[in-house]
Amino acid sequence: VKPLHGERWHMFNIDNVALSQRRIAIASALKEAIEFDQLSLFFQPQIYLNTGKVHGAEALLRWEHPQLGNVPPDLFIPIAESSGIISDLTEWVITQALRYQKKMTALLPEHIISINISAKDLQRKDLPVLFITLLNEYQLNPANVMLELTESATLFEGVDIRNALNDYRLIGVKIAIDDFGTGYSSLAYLSKMGFDEIKIDKQFVMNIEYSKNDQTICRATCDIAKSLGSYVVAEGIEDSQSMVKLQSYGCEVGQGYFFSRPLPFDDYMLWLEQNFEA
Ligand code: C2E
Ligand code: CA
Ligand code: CA
Ligand code: CA
């Protein structure tokens, strides 16, 4: 047995322990995040590329912990999903997002609010009820609510998810496939599920100016979406050249730092007042 081998194994183990301790620490801090008012929703504008008008906003979760600081969602969402805390988070996000949507539609009646839903949330039977309750309470048009579902192994399991999506369709809310092209979905899956919106992940958009491959992928996604009757939103648009390229492919809606970073609610309302055209 080579000594190096043993040493490596040893180090690997220590890393693993540190990582799992960190995950446990984050999971337990996350349990208190709602109670201690550490969460907030930011809103990132989505713009119609052809007209420059406001389509709506994606709600993005932020967690400010007194000791850990600003913990990025890419870090805590997966931990929330594997520890079961995601249920409470999702309920909180939906409740807040629809409450804010009421104020956004007062300014712009056609405003679409996009909400990220974990594939795990789709197994819950009580979430559609929560939507019905809140949509009634705030008198919102369900067609102006978009659920963004990330491609995942769970989503891919098929039949149950299709039933779950039907519950939402009956309510009248819309469904988007998020991060399209980065995960597990196949073209057959795309055709079966009939998504209202397809969201191109920023990894294909960020280098679109220089990468022929990314251009091909974005153009093909727009073509497929059109043939299937979905519309396309591209995220991660950081400059006008990328916007123009995507527009030429028939991409309907754009989102990214070029238009605006995600904003706290008050700032988003100001942005909306300055940018909406009747
Ligand atoms: P996502 O759903 O793909 O969201 C888009 C991410 O891209 C956001 O990161 C957004 O801030 C970022 N982004 C937008 N435009 C640009 C751009 O032009 N350049 C660059 N470099 N980045 C841009 P964020 O807010 O850190 O969220 C990360 C991920 O965390 C989200 O990815 C989503 O998967 C998850 N997430 C966020 N909020 C929620 C939530 O309420 N529920 C669930 N289940 N997941 C959430
Ligand atoms: Ca999303
Ligand atoms: Ca994502
Ligand atoms: Ca993405």
Side-chain angles (χ1 to χ4, degrees), residues 58-201:
E58 177 178 9
L60 292 160
L61 192 54
R62 295 291 177 265
W63 178 26
E64 175 82 45
H65 185 271
Q67 278 83 46
L68 300 170
N70 228 316
V71 189
D74 275 333
L75 180 72
F76 72 78
I77 293 286
I79 295 174
E81 284 174 343
S82 61
S83 62
I85 300 167
I86 192 70
S87 306
D88 289 345
L89 287 192
T90 301
E91 266 181 51
W92 186 89
V93 167
I94 293 168
T95 307
Q96 298 299 315
L98 293 187
R99 190 168 63 84
Y100 285 129
Q101 166 72 352
K102 175 80 184 159
K103 303 186 181 187
M104 294 164 182
T105 50
L107 215 51
L108 188 64
E110 297 313 309
H111 187 277
I112 311 279
I113 188 75
S114 292
I115 304 174
N116 291 286
I117 300 286
S118 161
K120 286 221 154 64
D121 297 321
L122 286 182
Q123 292 153 355
R124 295 176 57 180
K125 290 279 171 235
D126 55 337
L127 271 193
V129 180
L130 178 65
F131 271 102
I132 291 170
T133 307
L134 292 168
L135 289 167
N136 272 327
E137 183 177 341
Y138 296 125
Q139 288 295 299
L140 297 171
N141 180 358
N144 291 346
V145 176
M146 178 70 63
L147 305 185
E148 296 192 4
L149 289 176
T150 303
E151 302 177 4
S152 76
T154 327
L155 252 192
F156 206 36
E157 276 159 19
V159 185
D160 284 324
I161 299 300
R162 253 167 88 196
N163 282 337
L165 290 189
N166 277 337
D167 287 349
Y168 289 101
R169 290 222 163 85
L170 285 173
I171 298 170
V173 303
K174 304 291 179 187
I175 300 171
I177 178 95
D178 205 355
D179 296 348
F180 180 68
T182 65
Y184 298 82
S185 63
S186 66
L187 295 175
Y189 176 70
L190 205 57
S191 123
K192 227 183 296 172
M193 295 301 206
F195 294 106
D196 299 287
E197 174 189 300
I198 294 177
K199 232 179 152 179
I200 305 182
D201 189 65

Side-chain angles (χ1 to χ4, degrees), residues 2-60:
K2 296 155 213 110
L4 226 185
H5 196 130
E7 204 170 63
R8 264 203 202 132
W9 172 244
H10 183 65
M11 285 174 64
F12 178 66
N13 248 344
I14 285 174
D15 277 359
N16 258 357
V17 168
L19 196 68
S20 74
Q21 273 170 353
R22 191 148 167 256
R23 290 176 64 93
I24 290 165
I26 287 177
S28 82
L30 201 47
K31 276 192 192 121
E32 304 177 333
I34 296 176
E35 194 188 335
F36 292 125
D37 210 21
Q38 295 164 357
L39 299 178
S40 60
L41 278 187
F42 275 39
F43 298 91
Q44 189 175 32
Q46 298 181 329
I47 310 291
Y48 289 108
L49 296 183
N50 281 332
T51 62
K53 290 187 179 176
V54 179
H55 172 262
E58 177 178 9
L60 292 160

